[in-house]
Amino acid sequence: MAAIAVAAVAATGGTDPGIGRADEPPAGVDSGVTALERVDRHSERDWSLFVHSEAMGRTIELRVIRPADVTEPRPVLYLLNGAGGGVDEATWREQTDIVDFFGDKNVNVVTPIGGAFSYYTDWLADDAELGRNQWTTFLTEEAPPMVDAALGASGSNAIAGVSMSATSALALAEHAPDLYRAVASYSGCAETSTEVGSRYVEMVVGLGGGDVENMWGPVGGPYWMEQDVIRNAERLRGTTVFVSSSGGLPGSHEARAWEEHGPAVIPDLALLGVIETAVSGCTDRLRTELDALGIEATYSTRIEGTHTWGYWEDALHESWPLLSEALGV
């Protein structure tokens, strides 16, 4: 496990006199180890934690929505962005109502900024385009102690992701079952070692110019099987699981896109429909495996809907009662 230097930052409730101020790095912290470098308080409930990752050799921003009530320790929901890693406009904050949705909820919502096209996993080698990615280590070993100390969190965690990171969230829950009490996957493909699954992964990593062999070695090799959620489904036993996907046909959110943009959206909607159709097949195969193992999960599937944010916002809302129950809030 990476060496960790914990810089505790007091979490305060009510009107925070530190709003607008960046906390300076604590004296004596070595930037070569994992450490909380600073906290930026953009507002009372909108914070950024900057954690230096020893494993990746760089500092990662964690964007935080603070709980409605911080008079006692609250749990953490790690909410991952999709393939863009949060550095583009295809993010939970830009495309959905998460700030308003969590406005009355007693949970810390933590979203890492970075990790585009990385599958939020530990790569076997550095990549010429995507650099060094050791996200499993960061999200399961390095970040949680920093987050808990900075936010005064309760130690209860859940994780959720969308599209690329939906696959990642399930894999991370399998990798660290004692860390995450619950996991939600919104339009993710849970398989990576099959032909369909590996092609999907190759497509996503390729969009960023990355080499998938730097990630998990030769396609179809042992590391691809190790990351395959369906092959390792037994590891989800005891974890609260929510899985959603759509069938690829146009629905209510596509109708609104048509009203706003007209026929120009047809090519995009067709492609997003094909992607979601493939994802739906992955969901069916995951369900078959979990059922065979006797592992309970909650599924939300529909015929209508493409690979778009409107349905992911709906799925987040739908999954929250299950996640909140697991987190005890």
Side-chain angles (χ1 to χ4, degrees):
M1 180 179 292
I4 295 177
V6 178
V9 178
T12 59
T15 301
D16 186 348
I19 292 173
R21 186 196 71 220
D23 293 337
E24 294 301 320
V29 170
D30 181 354
S31 62
V33 301
T34 298
L36 178 62
E37 291 190 343
R38 74 176 195 275
V39 179
D40 287 355
R41 296 181 174 94
H42 311 294
S43 69
E44 182 179 343
R45 298 190 59 192
D46 182 9
W47 291 15
S48 289
L49 311 182
F50 292 86
V51 176
H52 183 85
S53 166
E54 179 186 5
M56 288 191 278
R58 65 180 187 271
T59 298
I60 307 298
E61 179 184 2
L62 300 171
R63 198 71 185 269
V64 181
I65 301 171
R66 295 285 279 139
D69 180 357
V70 293
T71 57
E72 60 182 88
R74 301 299 184 184
V76 176
L77 169 63
Y78 289 90
L79 185 61
L80 306 180
N81 283 309
V87 298
D88 54 10
E89 293 184 355
T91 68
W92 285 105
R93 282 183 179 251
E94 291 290 333
Q95 303 296 329
T96 75
D97 66 350
I98 65 164
V99 174
D100 290 337
F101 179 71
F102 286 106
D104 62 349
K105 295 172 178 59
N106 286 317
V107 63
N108 296 282
V109 182
V110 175
T111 301
I113 306 301
F117 311 106
S118 72
Y119 269 88
Y120 289 108
T121 188
D122 282 358
W123 285 45
L124 296 178
D126 294 351
D127 189 81
E129 290 295 326
L130 301 180
R132 176 170 296 176
N133 291 290
Q134 296 291 307
W135 287 96
T136 297
T137 297
F138 181 74
L139 290 169
T140 63
E141 298 179 19
E142 294 183 327
M146 307 292 105
V147 169
D148 287 354
L151 304 180
S154 67
S156 297
N157 305 287
I159 189 166
V162 58
S163 189
M164 176 196 82
S165 71
T167 306
S168 309
L170 289 166
L172 287 162
E174 287 187 345
H175 182 87
D178 294 333
L179 177 62
Y180 305 114
R181 294 187 176 184
V183 58
S185 165
Y186 314 123
S187 291
C189 184
E191 56 195 273
T192 59
S193 64
T194 64
E195 182 176 357
V196 171
S198 62
R199 289 286 180 85
Y200 192 89
V201 173
E202 288 182 275
M203 178 188 72
V204 172
V205 174
L207 287 173
D211 182 345
V212 292
E213 292 201 1
N214 287 329
M215 185 167 72
W216 293 332
V219 177
Y223 284 99
W224 289 74
M225 295 183 183
E226 174 63 24
Q227 296 299 323
D228 192 305
V229 170
I230 295 178
R231 280 181 172 268
N232 298 284
E234 176 62 35
R235 298 177 186 174
L236 289 173
R237 191 178 299 278
T239 302
T240 297
V241 178
F242 178 94
V243 180
S244 70
S245 62
S246 302
L249 297 177
S252 58
H253 293 294
E254 288 74 32
R256 280 193 287 273
W258 178 275
E259 289 174 0
E260 293 177 8
H261 305 289
V265 302
I266 292 177
D268 288 341
L269 293 182
L271 175 60
L272 295 172
V274 170
I275 293 172
E276 193 66 15
T277 300
V279 166
S280 179
C282 295
T283 297
D284 290 342
R285 289 185 287 278
L286 174 62
R287 185 172 193 164
T288 297
E289 182 63 20
L290 291 178
D291 286 349
L293 293 171
I295 296 176
E296 184 178 353
T298 299
Y299 302 92
S300 176
T301 57
R302 63 196 67 81
I303 295 175
E304 295 181 346
T306 63
H307 206 68
T308 51
W309 281 100
Y311 299 101
W312 301 334
E313 178 182 281
D314 294 344
L316 172 63
H317 291 189
E318 187 178 358
S319 66
W320 174 245
L322 195 73
L323 298 176
S324 64
E325 181 179 5
L327 291 170
V329 294

